[in-house]
């Protein structure tokens, strides 16, 4: 059955306290009770519609969480202060000392650093694998393994994870499949494909205006209850609560996500095709020449394109730096990390967002030092943007 996440957001309706079309922003860290009995009851177990303290829950965070769980088609969700908080709380909830995670080796550098450098301090081991090699994943499973972790569309190589195959393997071994869907909101619906936990850095496409940092965890009601448990919940006890004002603004931006994703995808496909025609090596899931194009077509929801992220390879690091400086001068966009902004952003992943990954491992996974990652913006005249990039490439004698 065709799934349309945008229709979930269209149907999502919240009436504010006074019938406001935008629900009131929760401007309180704590909530009143009419009697200590109710307070006692609420500390003992969560009661729908009752709030005790904003680090636990508050109305606006609930509204945003509900909208995100509707979009990802999960029973529940919890918003967090960053994407990294969503990832670290999820793993810490699922794993304890002595446990192991099997992780894709092509993941965001911050996640890689958390897994490689931080989790071992807690006695949690991580095995990095080529997530597209299901046999390699299977071979890493031991009785200590608790989690398989990947990105649906990987940062920065844009590899597509075979979520149904990973889900089958995970569930056969009683493991939890955690998927970071930051690069492909609406385009891919990991929970519908078999993921148990879906994570987003809301900082990126979902918010879309590069003005805040936020995250979310979408999963079963049971898992979200575990995360918010006042005695044992990672979100409750580690405290990565999202500020209410940000929740309110992200909720508003979420309602235009479908239009933005369509435009990001359309522009990225245009640039990918044109740059490939010029003979540039392009990584983009929408190109038939791209290795995982067919898998992507099988997994994606129709109507949102292949996403706004692409990468290109030029000769070497120095050339990529020259090209990016020139592209910024020529108003292609900004030389900046992050993604999902209305302007085009470009950065050298090898020395920025993936710099945490050692050089040999970068090379082994196909991340070359001349790679530039682009988050293609919402330009209405993408032809003009392409002409500007072409001008830079020509000036540097790259085409
Ligand atoms: N996941 C992916 C795929 C990312 O690219 C990032 C950040 O770039 C994160 C998670 C972390 O998100 P945040 O910066 O919101 O903590």
């Amino acid at each position: 059955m065709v799934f349309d996440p945008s229709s979930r957001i269209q149907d999502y309706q919240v009436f504010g306290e006074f019938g406001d079309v935008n629900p009131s922003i929760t401007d309180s860290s704590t909530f009143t009770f009419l009697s200590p009995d109710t307070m006692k009851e609420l500390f003992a177990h969560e009661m729908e519609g009752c709030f005790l303290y904003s680090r636990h829950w508050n109305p606006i965070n609930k509204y945003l969480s509900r909208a995100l769980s509707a979009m990802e088609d999960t029973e529940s969700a919890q918003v967090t202060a960053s994407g990294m908080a969503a990832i670290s709380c999820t793993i810490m909830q699922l794993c304890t000392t002595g446990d192991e995670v099997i992780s894709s080796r092509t993941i965001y550098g911050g996640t890689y650093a958390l897994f490689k450098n931080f989790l071992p301090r807690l006695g949690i081991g991580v095995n990095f694998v080529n997530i597209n090699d299901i046999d390699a994943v299977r071979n890493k499973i031991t009785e200590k393994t608790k989690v398989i972790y990947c990105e649906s569309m990987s940062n920065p190589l844009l590899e597509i994870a075979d979520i149904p195959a990973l889900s089958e393997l995970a569930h056969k071994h009683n493991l939890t499949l955690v998927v970071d869907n930051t690069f492909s909101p609406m385009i891919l619906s990991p929970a519908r494909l078999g993921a148990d936990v879906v994570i987003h850095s809301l900082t990126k496409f979902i918010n879309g205006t590069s003005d805040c940092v936020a995250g979310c965890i979408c999963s079963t009601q049971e898992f979200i209850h575990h995360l918010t448990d006042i005695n044992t919940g990672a979100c409750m006890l580690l405290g990565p609560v999202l500020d209410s004002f940000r929740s309110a603004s992200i909720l508003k931006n979420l309602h235009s996500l479908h239009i933005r994703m369509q435009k990001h995808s359309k522009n990225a496909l245009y640039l990918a095709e044109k740059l490939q025609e010029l003979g540039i090596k392009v990584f983009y899931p929408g190109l038939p020449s791209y290795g995982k194009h067919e898998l992507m077509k099988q997994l994606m929801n129709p109507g949102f394109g292949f996403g706004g992220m692409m990468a290109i390879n030029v000769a070497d690091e120095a050339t990529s730096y020259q090209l990016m400086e020139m592209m910024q001068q020529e108003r292609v966009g900004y030389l900046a990390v992050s993604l999902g902004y209305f302007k085009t952003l470009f950065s050298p992943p090898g020395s920025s967002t993936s710099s945490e990954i050692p050089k040999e491992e970068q090379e082994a996974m196909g991340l070359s030092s001349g790679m530039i990652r682009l988050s293609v913006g919402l330009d209405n005249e993408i032809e003009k943007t392409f002409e500007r990039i072409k001008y830079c490439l020509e000036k540097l004698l790259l085409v």
Side-chain angles (χ1 to χ4, degrees):
M1 200 183 67
V2 174
F3 178 64
D4 182 356
S6 69
S7 102
R8 294 294 184 86
I9 299 299
Q10 182 174 331
D11 290 346
Y12 186 75
Q13 205 173 25
V14 183
F15 292 95
E17 206 176 348
F18 301 101
D20 339 11
V21 290
N22 291 310
S24 319
I25 298 171
T26 309
D27 199 19
S28 293
S29 56
T30 191
F31 297 82
T32 55
F33 287 78
L34 287 178
S35 79
D37 283 342
T38 338
M39 189 181 269
K40 185 176 163 193
E41 213 181 320
L42 193 53
F43 266 88
H45 57 262
E46 208 168 288
M47 294 188 292
E48 197 54 37
C50 292
F51 299 93
L52 58 95
Y53 187 61
S54 272
R55 175 156 47 79
H56 185 243
W57 274 117
N58 65 43
I60 191 74
N61 285 5
K62 259 269 144 92
Y63 293 143
L64 178 60
S65 299
R66 280 195 196 131
L68 291 163
S69 66
M71 181 181 85
E72 285 297 357
D73 201 22
T74 56
E75 286 172 7
S76 191
Q78 161 82 319
V79 290
T80 56
S82 69
M84 284 311 297
I87 297 166
S88 52
C89 285
T90 297
I91 298 297
M92 285 192 227
Q93 196 67 43
L94 292 169
C95 297
T96 186
T97 304
D99 291 342
E100 286 179 3
V101 175
I102 297 173
S103 170
S104 166
R105 60 183 185 176
T106 57
I107 48 171
Y108 163 58
T111 313
Y112 183 90
L114 171 76
F115 287 2
K116 178 109 178 175
N117 308 328
F118 201 93
L119 292 186
R121 290 170 50 187
L122 308 178
I124 300 168
V126 182
N127 288 298
F128 294 97
V129 291
N130 174 359
I131 208 77
N132 291 316
D133 183 348
I134 296 289
D135 288 333
V137 181
R138 186 181 296 109
N139 289 338
K140 291 282 183 204
I141 298 175
T142 69
E143 75 268 11
K144 294 179 179 169
T145 312
K146 290 288 178 313
V147 168
I148 298 180
Y149 183 93
C150 66
E151 292 173 1
S152 46
M153 189 185 276
S154 77
N155 183 358
L157 291 166
L158 308 172
E159 288 174 347
I160 306 303
D162 189 344
I163 299 170
L166 290 167
S167 164
E168 196 186 325
L169 181 65
H171 296 154
K172 200 164 145 202
H173 294 270
N174 215 10
L175 311 178
T176 304
L177 177 62
V178 179
V179 178
D180 179 336
N181 197 27
T182 299
F183 273 33
S184 42
M186 294 210 164
I187 297 170
L188 291 166
S189 298
R192 292 185 64 87
L193 298 170
D196 303 296
V197 181
V198 182
I199 284 171
H200 279 282
S201 163
L202 303 177
T203 316
K204 314 291 165 31
F205 288 104
I206 290 182
N207 184 52
T209 40
S210 286
D211 54 1
C212 74
V213 174
C216 75
I217 305 162
C218 303
S219 188
T220 57
Q221 209 146 38
E222 189 188 9
F223 186 61
I224 302 302
H225 274 306
H226 285 160
L227 286 168
T228 52
D229 187 288
I230 57 166
N231 290 300
T232 55
C235 284
M236 181 62 183
L237 301 175
L238 299 174
V241 63
L242 179 58
D243 182 74
S244 309
F245 285 83
R246 281 309 178 191
S247 259
S249 63
I250 297 168
L251 181 56
K252 282 176 271 193
N253 289 1
L254 183 60
H255 285 272
S256 61
L257 178 64
H258 59 298
I259 305 172
R260 291 186 279 114
M261 289 318 291
Q262 286 162 356
K263 188 68 173 167
H264 283 298
S265 294
K266 197 169 167 221
N267 284 353
L269 181 62
Y270 181 86
L271 290 186
E273 285 175 344
K274 288 287 191 184
L275 288 168
Q276 194 175 49
E277 272 168 39
L278 289 182
I280 298 289
K281 167 104 179 108
V282 181
F283 298 74
Y284 185 64
L287 293 175
S289 58
Y290 188 74
K292 293 287 168 192
H293 180 68
E294 287 307 317
L295 176 64
M296 176 77 184
K297 283 207 298 193
Q298 277 170 35
L299 302 185
M300 67 202 282
N301 296 317
F304 304 100
F306 292 89
M309 298 303 296
M310 59 181 280
I312 59 171
N313 257 358
V314 292
D316 49 34
E317 189 176 74
T319 315
S320 75
Y321 284 16
Q322 276 181 308
L323 180 59
M324 285 183 287
E325 274 178 44
M326 245 182 120
M327 291 200 305
Q328 182 160 252
Q329 280 155 16
E330 293 302 319
R331 296 171 188 239
V332 170
Y334 297 121
L335 169 51
V337 296
S338 204
L339 49 126
Y341 186 43
F342 44 77
K343 301 282 279 185
T344 295
L345 301 178
F346 36 85
S347 55
S351 50
S352 62
T353 49
S354 297
S355 60
E356 297 90 342
I357 304 173
K359 279 278 175 251
E360 322 78 74
E361 289 182 47
Q362 288 188 18
E363 274 159 31
M365 67 175 73
L367 200 174
S368 75
S369 55
M371 180 175 272
I372 299 175
R373 187 189 78 179
L374 291 106
S375 166
V376 181
L378 300 174
D379 310 11
N380 202 30
E381 294 177 286
I382 194 66
E383 303 78 7
K384 189 161 88 184
T385 309
F386 170 68
E387 287 307 323
R388 288 174 176 176
I389 300 175
K390 190 171 158 216
Y391 169 80
C392 300
L393 291 166
E394 283 168 350
K395 275 267 176 198
L396 294 171
L397 304 177
L398 295 174
V399 291

